Amino acid sequence: MPDEDSKIDHYVLEYRKTNFEGPPRAKEDQPWMVVEGIKTTEYTLCGLKFDMKYMNFRVRACNKAVAGEFSEPVTLETRAFMFRLDASTCHQNLRVEELSVEWDATGG
């Protein structure tokens, strides 16, 4: 993003999920979701789902009179991950069972 520019009033972020295997490319039947009125050069997009294969994002700057061109789309992935604690290698005060972990101050 450019340094702060006094001519820019706000930004518009658009994103769409493509969610398919292979090289990142837009699936034209997916609509762009729009976030308007972003006043800073940073934005946190909430509500994304884990393990979406690909999502396309683009942004444009606007002032009170006109909107600029959209940036080139950027493709991101929200990878999911799985992890487990191993009862045989964890701290002696942790009691690890199937789907639960408890702290045992007496040392197990």
Side-chain angles (χ1 to χ4, degrees):
M1 292 297 259
D3 292 332
E4 193 169 319
D5 184 340
S6 61
K7 296 176 191 164
I8 296 174
D9 180 64
H10 67 279
Y11 297 92
V12 174
L13 171 70
E14 292 189 351
Y15 65 97
R16 65 180 170 189
K17 65 181 181 177
T18 57
N19 204 26
F20 61 90
E21 299 294 336
R25 57 187 187 273
K27 217 175 176 183
E28 297 303 323
D29 58 343
Q30 293 293 326
W32 288 99
M33 305 301 290
V34 180
V35 181
E36 295 188 45
I38 300 170
K39 296 290 189 180
T40 64
T41 58
E42 294 182 19
Y43 182 78
T44 300
L45 184 61
C46 299
L48 297 178
K49 305 284 187 218
F50 278 119
D51 206 22
M52 294 304 300
K53 299 295 181 203
Y54 296 102
M55 297 189 74
N56 296 124
F57 292 84
R58 64 186 185 181
V59 66
R60 68 176 166 184
C62 305
N63 63 25
K64 295 181 192 300
V66 67
E69 296 292 321
F70 275 105
S71 65
E72 289 295 318
V74 174
T75 303
L76 303 175
E77 188 173 348
T78 55
R79 294 185 180 186
F81 62 92
M82 300 287 289
F83 71 94
R84 289 192 292 178
L85 294 176
D86 183 354
S88 65
T89 61
C90 70
H91 189 277
Q92 66 180 3
N93 289 43
L94 283 180
R95 184 173 36 220
V96 178
E97 295 178 1
E98 289 291 315
L99 298 174
S100 68
V101 177
E102 291 183 33
W103 179 259
D104 182 357
T106 63

